[in-house]
Amino acid sequence: MLGMKRVTLAVSAAALALVLSGATSQAQTALKIGTEGAYPPFNNLTADGQLVGFDIDIANALCEEMKVTCEFVTQDWDGIIPALQAGKFDAIIASMSITPERAEKVDFTGKYYNTPPAIAAPKDSTLTGVSKEDLAGKIVGVQGSTTHFNYSTATYTDSEIKSYPTAQEYQLDLANGRLDAVNDDISVLEEWLSTPEGECCKLIGPVQSVDSIHGPGAGIAVRKGETELRDKLDAAIKAIRANGKYKEINDKYFSFDVYGG
Amino acid sequence: MSVAENLASQVERPPELRRQWTRGRILGHALVGLWILLGIGLVTYLFGAWNPALFERYLPLYWSGLQVTLALVGASMVIGALLSVPIAYARMSSNRLLNSLAYAYVYFFRGTPLLAQTFLVYYGLGSFRAELDAVGLWTFFRDAWYCGVFAFSLNTAAYQAEILRGAIESVPRGQWEGAESLGLHRLQTMWKVILPQAMIVALRPYGNEFILMVKASAIVAIITVYDLMGETRRAYAQTFDFQTYIWAGLIYLSIVEALRHFVDWVERRITVHLKR
Amino acid sequence: MDSVWTLLSFGPKGWSDDIAYGVLVTISLALATLPIGLVIGFFVAVAKQSSEPSLRMAGNVYTTIFRGLPELLTLFVVFYGGQIAVGQIIRFFSPGTVVEINSFVAGMIALGVVFSSYCSEVFLSAFRAIPAGQYEGGYAIGLSKGQTMRLVVLPQLIRIALPGLANLWLNLLKDTALVSAIGLPDTLRQAGIAARVTKEAFLFFGVACLVFLVLAMISSVGIHAIERKVGSSGVTR
């Protein structure tokens, strides 16, 4: 009988989970925001499970401006757009570059920052440049489903491109020596290189960003057709740019202006 | 027209049994209908989503992914088969130490997820780069494909050892004794008498293990190998088009079904002598 | 560098609390999947041994599909595709409501259908091991079809199917590791995060393997207990 009881318990727990997840239609004043939580310094989870980073602070500032409360949902990068479409959250604030392919699936606000991509390599690397010829025959690591992945596959056609689920895994493999170089946002690479784990490696240099691949910068994604939310977010970005809040957050993380020209 | 034929056509046959629409029959038809509907839905979806540019771009990639998958599984199965022989021998040996070592090996690899084993090999051994470099093994473990083959071979060796052991032990003792009385020595007995009989028993489990490996191989996509699953994930990430997954599913399903029918066919062929 | 013992402690610098949470997720996912898989598997087996060809066909299509697809792919299809499909259906009927298939539910569904398709095979061969006389005996003493199934066939069926089901349970436990790929914080994912952050990959993936080994051992003890119980009731009948 005990077994039976346990089974009933499990079934009711499962049913409850279904009902709970089914019943949550969000309150009007809360904005659910999806982010990755594995992309320092923009968004990252601390050891005790707190979300921190530039994206998070910007999101909170925007919510404050829009008089709503931010509710954060962490989601793996390669499933972040499907999760938005499925309604797991209402906006993605996760350093997502505005690209034409993504714009077919979601609507973007204007950019809220734009930093160039760059290449990093082990300290003893003989790499001197970041061109296709420099990297010919090398193994280049990137995070999958990113503009950096698309850029690397399109540009470094003579290199082997390996894609990883998060930035941390390619960092591990670059430190291990499985990779000859990695390609990512310069701020992300610099942040990592400044930590003890990043001691293995050095920055080779920035990569000239390509508009058709990298787009105008990172924007906030909302579901297609939700123009009202998008316009509100756009207005909020303008407002925090104007009232100094943006600069305050910017200076907390960076020594330069990440908004770009 | 002959008389006999005339007669035959005049014979009254008993009325055919009316097949009743029992509950089971209604349910069965409803379920089959549902599958057909789902199938039609799938075909219309794929038809509606038909995109020649997509095919032109990704078909070669899927093909290379398929080759990677098959090479990986093939290599792992062969290496695993070689490794499984000493393990199965140790499992059947009366030496306590050998026996328990082999048991521990089999227990570990069958008791933990292949995904965890693969991570252990890829990322875990990756952190011993200096040590591996010193013994000259780093070039091997540097490559994700080799890491995949390494983990898969060790894993399937454990399963194959159990298959082999089970099959050999399924051959009755009398076969050993008979061979001995004919003056064959142990190796000859094993090779000429026991193994041929054991292989008939082992064929189906081996086939199943092969199928399980094909399916399990999808996880190497997580350690940066561009197998069929890896190519699929890449295609999905670049296009956000869900049909990429559907196509991968159809390909995997066809491989598995083809393998299953092949095993059935081989089994029918080699058991002809057992049929009466 | 922190020592191994600090990393494995339950304190703020240690990862044991995170991994323990992951173990809890692993166990609850496996336990939540089991009844679904058993129930579906049983009905599929009933369909496959029915005299009605259409039912047999429906059952066979089910097992062919879910035994033929890689578990990882099934998981992705349910997680991403299911989310899109359910979302569209809901939006059609009542726009505004949000139903999310979270990774736990997706894992439960995907692992449940995979489990059930293997489980149906185990039940099917158990069905075949029960002689027709048992059914006839049941009908002869005036039991209905349902009663015969419940009171006469099922108790024997479970005893015959138990070793096969035990095997499937151990497989299920291992397959739960795949949900780490869709973001559920199970044992393997928590270990992976610890490995990434501390760069002690071998240590933490080793710990994850040990956790699964221990779970398998505990399961074996439990299975033996159940087997003894079921087996003894068979002898004393």
Side-chain angles (χ1 to χ4, degrees):
Chain A
M1 250 2 257
L2 194 72
M4 205 53 216
K5 238 183 227 160
R6 222 174 267 149
V7 169
T8 351
L9 247 177
V11 170
S12 44
L16 194 70
L18 273 168
V19 170
L20 278 182
S21 55
T24 46
S25 65
Q26 65 277 39
Q28 281 304 311
T29 49
L31 182 65
K32 279 197 180 174
I33 290 171
T35 196
E36 187 196 5
Y39 203 59
F42 293 105
N43 58 75
N44 194 28
L45 276 172
T46 61
D48 55 346
Q50 289 293 311
L51 270 170
V52 293
F54 179 79
D55 286 341
I56 310 303
D57 286 0
I58 289 287
N60 279 322
L62 293 177
C63 285
E64 197 183 316
E65 193 60 42
M66 292 160 61
K67 309 240 169 352
V68 294
T69 45
C70 276
E71 237 179 75
F72 290 99
V73 179
T74 48
Q75 164 71 44
D76 280 0
W77 182 252
D78 59 3
I80 206 162
I81 285 183
L84 174 75
Q85 291 171 326
K88 264 184 103 170
F89 33 77
D90 308 308
I92 300 174
I93 304 186
S95 300
M96 181 173 274
S97 300
I98 303 163
T99 68
E101 298 93 48
R102 287 176 182 151
E104 279 176 23
K105 304 284 166 181
V106 296
D107 280 347
F108 278 108
T109 63
K111 69 163 182 177
Y112 65 96
Y113 80 83
N114 185 19
T115 47
I119 294 276
K123 278 234 165 82
D124 56 4
S125 170
T126 52
L127 271 181
T128 49
V130 297
S131 70
K132 176 186 171 186
E133 289 72 32
D134 288 319
L135 284 158
K138 308 275 188 208
I139 306 175
V140 181
V142 283
Q143 184 180 4
S145 320
T146 60
T147 50
H148 310 293
F149 175 77
N150 292 344
Y151 176 82
S152 290
T153 17
T155 313
Y156 304 129
T157 43
D158 294 334
S159 323
E160 188 186 333
I161 311 296
K162 296 179 95 188
S163 85
Y164 292 81
T166 73
Q168 273 132 357
E169 273 113 4
Y170 75 60
Q171 291 165 0
L172 210 58
D173 263 1
L174 186 66
N176 284 339
R178 279 207 180 101
L179 298 173
D180 299 312
V182 296
N183 176 13
D184 208 335
D185 188 279
I186 194 163
S187 323
V188 172
L189 291 175
E190 278 181 339
E191 167 78 12
W192 172 57
L193 294 173
S194 70
T195 63
E197 287 79 39
E199 266 173 12
C200 60
C201 308
K202 63 182 180 188
L203 201 70
I204 300 299
V207 170
Q208 186 59 46
S209 70
V210 179
D211 272 351
S212 62
I213 292 178
H214 294 101
I220 301 172
V222 298
R223 273 183 295 277
K224 228 139 192 57
E226 299 201 346
T227 39
E228 194 190 333
L229 177 61
R230 189 195 61 193
D231 295 345
K232 268 195 200 161
L233 284 164
D234 261 330
I237 294 174
K238 281 214 178 65
I240 61 165
R241 290 276 303 158
N243 68 14
K245 187 86 194 158
Y246 185 97
K247 186 162 172 15
E248 195 184 303
I249 299 170
N250 184 96
D251 295 349
K252 183 174 157 195
Y253 291 96
F254 308 101
S255 52
F256 58 97
D257 179 17
V258 288
Y259 191 76
Chain B
M1 213 175 255
S2 75
V3 183
E5 258 177 64
N6 243 341
L7 265 178
S9 65
Q10 278 163 9
V11 169
E12 229 174 274
R13 293 176 183 197
E16 268 194 32
L17 264 178
R18 266 265 268 329
R19 284 199 66 199
Q20 301 260 310
W21 280 93
T22 57
R23 240 187 303 170
R25 191 155 174 237
I26 295 171
L27 185 67
H29 278 73
L31 287 175
V32 170
L34 187 69
W35 280 124
I36 293 174
L37 266 181
L38 283 175
I40 293 173
L42 189 69
V43 171
T44 27
Y45 167 72
L46 288 178
F47 194 73
W50 180 259
N51 179 351
L54 197 78
F55 271 80
E56 203 174 308
R57 181 156 170 214
Y58 289 107
L59 195 64
L61 292 176
Y62 269 53
W63 174 237
S64 83
L66 182 62
Q67 286 172 318
V68 170
T69 293
L70 293 179
L72 186 92
V73 174
S76 309
M77 280 300 281
V78 171
I79 299 171
L82 294 177
L83 284 176
S84 75
V85 174
I87 299 167
Y89 176 78
R91 277 286 273 137
M92 289 185 290
S93 119
S94 50
N95 182 330
R96 285 283 279 282
L97 180 70
L98 264 185
N99 196 319
S100 41
L101 274 180
Y103 181 75
Y105 178 91
V106 170
Y107 199 90
F108 177 80
F109 281 99
R110 299 209 312 170
T112 55
L114 181 56
L115 186 59
Q117 292 162 18
T118 311
F119 280 160
L120 193 64
V121 168
Y122 187 74
Y123 288 115
L125 292 183
S127 49
F128 293 109
R129 189 213 163 158
E131 291 84 345
L132 288 171
D133 229 354
V135 288
L137 283 175
W138 177 245
T139 38
F140 181 83
F141 287 108
R142 188 174 187 222
D143 191 283
W145 191 85
Y146 286 125
C147 284
V149 171
F150 184 77
F152 279 38
S153 302
L154 292 183
N155 182 277
T156 188
Y159 283 92
Q160 290 191 33
E162 288 300 281
I163 295 172
L164 194 60
R165 183 178 70 98
I168 290 174
E169 286 180 350
S170 78
V171 179
R173 278 205 65 78
Q175 298 286 330
W176 285 99
E177 290 157 2
E180 210 177 344
S181 68
L182 287 176
L184 295 178
H185 66 75
R186 280 185 69 84
L187 215 63
Q188 273 177 321
T189 312
M190 186 52 125
W191 193 247
K192 300 238 150 138
V193 180
I194 305 298
L195 272 186
Q197 300 182 66
M199 279 306 119
I200 294 177
V201 178
L203 178 71
R204 188 151 286 277
Y206 271 125
N208 284 340
E209 174 63 12
F210 202 103
I211 289 173
L212 286 178
M213 287 305 278
V214 169
K215 290 168 48 179
S217 70
I219 65 174
V220 291
I222 303 177
I223 57 161
T224 76
V225 176
Y226 288 115
D227 71 329
L228 183 54
M229 187 72 184
E231 292 293 357
T232 307
R233 281 166 66 118
R234 168 150 77 179
Y236 181 65
Q238 286 173 343
T239 60
F240 301 106
D241 193 338
F242 197 70
Q243 62 170 310
T244 50
Y245 276 118
I246 306 280
W247 286 114
L250 291 176
I251 297 172
Y252 274 112
L253 210 55
S254 339
I255 301 174
V256 168
E257 277 303 288
L259 275 173
R260 211 161 58 90
H261 286 287
F262 176 71
V263 173
D264 280 348
W265 177 79
V266 174
E267 195 178 56
R268 271 203 308 280
R269 298 257 339 202
I270 61 173
T271 55
V272 164
H273 65 287
L274 296 175
K275 293 244 161 55
R276 287 156 198 253
Chain C
M1 260 297 162
D2 298 310
S3 83
V4 169
W5 299 115
T6 327
L7 290 176
L8 286 180
S9 74
F10 278 86
K13 273 192 155 181
W15 289 87
S16 282
D17 43 345
D18 305 81
I19 292 177
Y21 176 75
V23 176
L24 210 65
V25 172
T26 296
I27 296 174
S28 29
L29 179 62
L31 283 180
T33 308
L34 183 67
I36 302 178
L38 282 177
V39 170
I40 301 179
F42 177 75
F43 283 112
V44 173
V46 171
K48 285 207 292 194
Q49 62 111 46
S50 136
S51 55
E52 169 61 40
S54 60
L55 265 179
R56 283 205 301 273
M57 194 176 147
N60 284 332
V61 173
Y62 182 86
T63 38
T64 305
I65 292 178
F66 291 112
R67 292 203 319 170
L69 290 177
E71 289 82 355
L72 192 63
L73 191 82
T74 313
L75 206 56
F76 281 134
V77 169
V78 171
F79 188 56
Y80 295 137
Q83 220 158 34
I84 296 168
V86 167
Q88 265 166 1
I89 293 168
I90 295 290
R91 228 163 285 157
F92 183 74
F93 286 112
S94 65
T97 38
V98 177
V99 170
E100 75 167 72
I101 298 188
N102 62 27
S103 44
F104 191 88
V105 176
M108 219 163 73
I109 296 172
L111 295 178
V113 292
V114 173
F115 183 89
S116 64
S117 57
Y118 283 97
C119 175
S120 73
E121 293 289 302
V122 171
F123 276 133
L124 188 63
S125 50
F127 266 124
R128 288 185 179 146
I130 295 174
Q134 295 290 329
Y135 294 87
E136 288 159 6
Y139 302 146
I141 57 168
L143 296 179
S144 73
K145 249 186 147 170
Q147 281 173 321
T148 311
M149 181 59 88
R150 198 156 42 93
L151 299 172
V152 181
V153 178
L154 205 58
Q156 305 181 56
L157 191 74
I158 289 175
R159 201 176 316 140
I160 302 170
L162 203 58
L165 294 180
N167 241 336
L168 290 181
W169 163 254
L170 294 176
N171 280 344
L172 173 64
L173 216 47
K174 290 188 287 172
D175 280 349
T176 57
L178 294 175
V179 293
S180 59
I182 54 166
L184 191 68
D186 77 321
T187 311
L188 190 60
R189 189 181 172 84
Q190 297 292 77
I193 293 174
R196 285 203 304 250
V197 174
T198 62
K199 314 287 167 198
E200 290 281 352
F202 195 79
L203 174 70
F204 282 106
F205 286 125
V207 166
C209 282
L210 282 183
V211 165
F212 279 102
L213 269 189
V214 170
L215 289 182
M217 284 174 193
I218 295 172
S219 304
S220 306
V221 173
I223 290 162
H224 276 305
I226 296 173
E227 264 172 0
R228 261 206 309 281
K229 216 176 151 197
V230 176
S232 67
S233 71
V235 176
T236 54
R237 98 193 119 134

